[in-house]
Amino acid sequence: MTLLRWMRRSRAVSTLRRGLWDDNPVYRQILGICSTLAVTNLLVNTFVMDLGLIFVTAMSSFTVSLLRDATPKRVRMMAQVLIIASYVILVDLTIKAFWPDISEALGPYVGLIITNCIIMGRCEAFAAKNPPGLSFLDGLGCGIGYSFVLLAIAFFRELLGFGTLFGYPVLPASMTRWTIMVMPPGAFFMLALALWLFRTIQKPRDV
Amino acid sequence: MRESLYPVFYMVVLSAIFGAAVSTVAVATRARVEAGERARFRSHVLASFDVEVPEDPARLEVVWTQRVTEQTDGRGPYYVWIEDGKVRGYAFPFRGPGFWGPIEGVLAVVPSGDRILGISFTSHQETPGLGGRISEPWFRDQFRNLPLTIRGEDLPILDFVSRPPSAPHEVEAITGATQTSTRLARLLNRFLRELPRRPVFSGDAG
């Protein structure tokens, strides 16, 4: 089988691609919006949030999937929250212990990862009914899909709002900064534009 | 009976397992985390004294033990900077309401208490890039050598203005961070008014 044909047929690749593009959590499923609005005023904050989220989503989906047959239906959400919270705490402790400067700057955002509905959304919609390998890829794909949308938004918000990229000045000081880009209304506008842009690029679908 | 008990049993076991895993990591990293937090706080105190802060934690420890002693008076801890046998300054921790959460920091003054040596913010929850800019060197450097005089009952000791400062008691606020600047001004002025009453300056037992 040619590589391309394998890629088209492989469930692993299609799972990954769905999270990245076809069913992107931000512009398709409209999940994880709160953090999208909150962290995207600076690229470095966005980047740390993205790494944390990719790790937690992939590992939580993997773990939920491993336990999916043992978990009684009535307590599945409790179990999911427990698993997700544990991973988030692990990430938080690791960053505090080994990168205290980053933790000082971005500590609150790390703790907020657990409130991101993408993680629980994928655990409930996919990991609860699929094997661990695919669930890990689903979590990974959704995490990366979320990340690239956020980085795109953050790129423009930081550039227009501060004139910097990752803290390095890029625009000349003479250009007026669009401070609104740094504040919540700017986030809403940019998110709406991103949604519009990506959905227009994608093939038209029902919803 | 067994069917309704199994979910409870399952959750107890799962909680125990994940709780144990998280606790193990917490205990294993506790020493590192505490050392890191202590080092960070000390670097803030040194920064407020305008002493160069070493990157290396071991060097930081040496600089700290050589130069700074922690004391307490009736109102809480403060830090004394001694160089060549002479007191060069005092640093006092402060805390007050900011915009999104409490702002905590350390403010250092000369031994006579009439000039600021520097300020450093140990924790705050202000918007990154806006109110969060209070942590940036350009903002903090404005406080160096500012006079601390009570100009009048109704006048603030430090005036936060929305343009470059034109008088010794003025500090330039952060554009776009009105709330953070206003609240910081209020909390600092309140703190500075109380400062002359600390025993090191007033001579009371405290």
Side-chain angles (χ1 to χ4, degrees):
Chain A
M1 219 193 285
T2 62
L3 180 66
L4 221 57
R5 208 158 0 127
W6 172 79
M7 278 176 71
R8 255 185 243 131
R9 289 216 203 157
S10 150
R11 279 191 75 193
V13 174
S14 69
T15 306
L16 204 55
R17 207 192 63 217
R18 256 190 306 103
L20 273 166
W21 182 255
D22 304 323
D23 274 335
N24 183 288
V26 180
Y27 60 78
R28 266 284 146 210
Q29 302 177 57
I30 319 291
L31 290 176
I33 300 302
C34 318
S35 54
T36 309
L37 298 172
V39 312
T40 50
N41 58 357
L42 286 172
L43 277 165
V44 64
N45 295 359
T46 306
F47 190 63
V48 174
M49 180 59 128
D50 288 344
L51 290 180
L53 188 109
I54 292 173
F55 176 78
V56 174
T57 312
M59 293 308 296
S60 302
S61 286
F62 180 70
T63 313
V64 167
S65 174
L66 278 177
L67 295 170
R68 73 191 186 284
D69 292 326
T71 308
K73 276 203 167 41
R74 262 183 294 159
V75 296
R76 72 183 189 285
M77 291 211 167
M78 271 201 271
Q80 286 167 13
V81 175
L82 177 67
I83 292 168
I84 297 169
S86 304
Y87 279 115
V88 172
I89 295 174
L90 285 177
V91 170
D92 194 30
L93 287 173
T94 309
I95 295 183
K96 268 209 191 93
F98 293 99
W99 297 284
D101 291 327
I102 296 185
S103 181
E104 188 179 352
L106 303 168
Y109 292 126
V110 176
L112 286 177
I113 292 177
I114 188 181
T115 64
N116 196 315
C117 30
I118 294 177
I119 310 178
M120 194 141 163
R122 295 323 292 166
C123 285
E124 179 67 1
F126 193 91
K129 315 168 197 157
N130 283 280
L134 283 182
S135 300
F136 180 83
L137 288 176
D138 175 79
L140 191 69
C142 284
I144 299 176
Y146 165 88
S147 299
F148 89 76
V149 176
L150 258 69
L151 285 171
I153 295 176
F155 178 87
F156 287 102
R157 285 187 71 194
E158 185 175 350
L159 188 66
L160 293 170
F162 294 119
T164 61
L165 290 177
F166 281 104
Y168 292 106
V170 167
L171 291 184
S174 50
M175 281 190 62
T176 315
R177 307 285 182 249
W178 295 10
T179 309
I180 193 173
M181 279 292 147
V182 175
M183 299 194 282
F188 273 104
F189 291 135
M190 287 306 302
L191 175 65
L193 287 174
L195 251 67
W196 184 21
L197 173 71
F198 285 112
R199 282 181 169 223
T200 310
I201 298 176
Q202 276 191 330
K203 295 199 205 81
R205 279 196 282 169
D206 282 333
V207 164
Chain B
M1 179 76 145
R2 228 195 124 198
E3 205 187 288
S4 61
L5 273 186
Y6 178 67
V8 178
F9 169 74
Y10 181 82
M11 280 313 298
V12 169
V13 170
L14 203 66
S15 306
I17 294 174
F18 279 90
V22 169
S23 305
T24 309
V25 175
V27 167
T29 57
R30 180 175 306 150
R32 273 195 87 114
V33 171
E34 281 175 3
E37 281 173 3
R38 193 170 46 238
R40 250 186 322 109
F41 181 76
R42 289 178 176 182
S43 65
H44 282 292
V45 175
L46 289 176
S48 71
F49 283 135
D50 208 8
V51 170
E52 198 175 316
V53 183
E55 286 281 338
D56 172 47
R59 282 271 319 145
L60 177 69
E61 183 78 21
V62 169
V63 170
W64 178 268
T65 28
Q66 274 176 353
R67 288 178 169 78
V68 183
T69 16
E70 182 172 341
Q71 307 274 358
T72 331
D73 60 17
R75 288 166 201 247
Y78 63 97
Y79 302 88
V80 187
W81 173 24
I82 298 182
E83 193 112 26
D84 303 321
K86 282 199 305 179
V87 175
R88 301 283 292 274
Y90 300 106
F92 299 91
F94 63 84
R95 180 191 158 100
F99 185 32
W100 291 109
I103 296 179
E104 289 182 10
V106 180
L107 188 132
V109 296
V110 294
S112 54
D114 57 12
R115 238 182 344 109
I116 297 181
L117 277 175
I119 194 172
S120 200
F121 296 98
T122 51
S123 105
H124 66 77
Q125 289 160 37
E126 308 306 293
T127 313
L130 278 182
R133 306 192 73 189
I134 56 176
S135 297
E136 287 175 21
W138 70 269
F139 183 78
R140 290 186 291 113
D141 284 342
Q142 295 186 89
F143 291 83
R144 300 213 187 280
N145 290 313
L146 288 190
L148 284 181
T149 38
I150 307 213
R151 299 180 289 127
E153 268 313 305
D154 299 329
L155 294 175
I157 297 180
L158 291 179
D159 222 348
F160 279 54
V161 294
S162 52
R163 49 164 170 75
S166 54
H169 61 273
E170 288 183 350
V171 168
E172 186 176 355
I174 297 173
T175 313
T178 316
Q179 290 298 329
T180 301
S181 302
T182 313
R183 282 153 204 261
L184 182 64
R186 199 180 310 149
L187 84 90
L188 278 182
N189 279 307
R190 201 180 310 144
F191 172 76
L192 290 169
R193 255 181 212 282
E194 293 294 307
L195 211 50
R197 289 188 212 137
R198 298 288 291 248
V200 277
F201 303 123
S202 67
D204 300 336

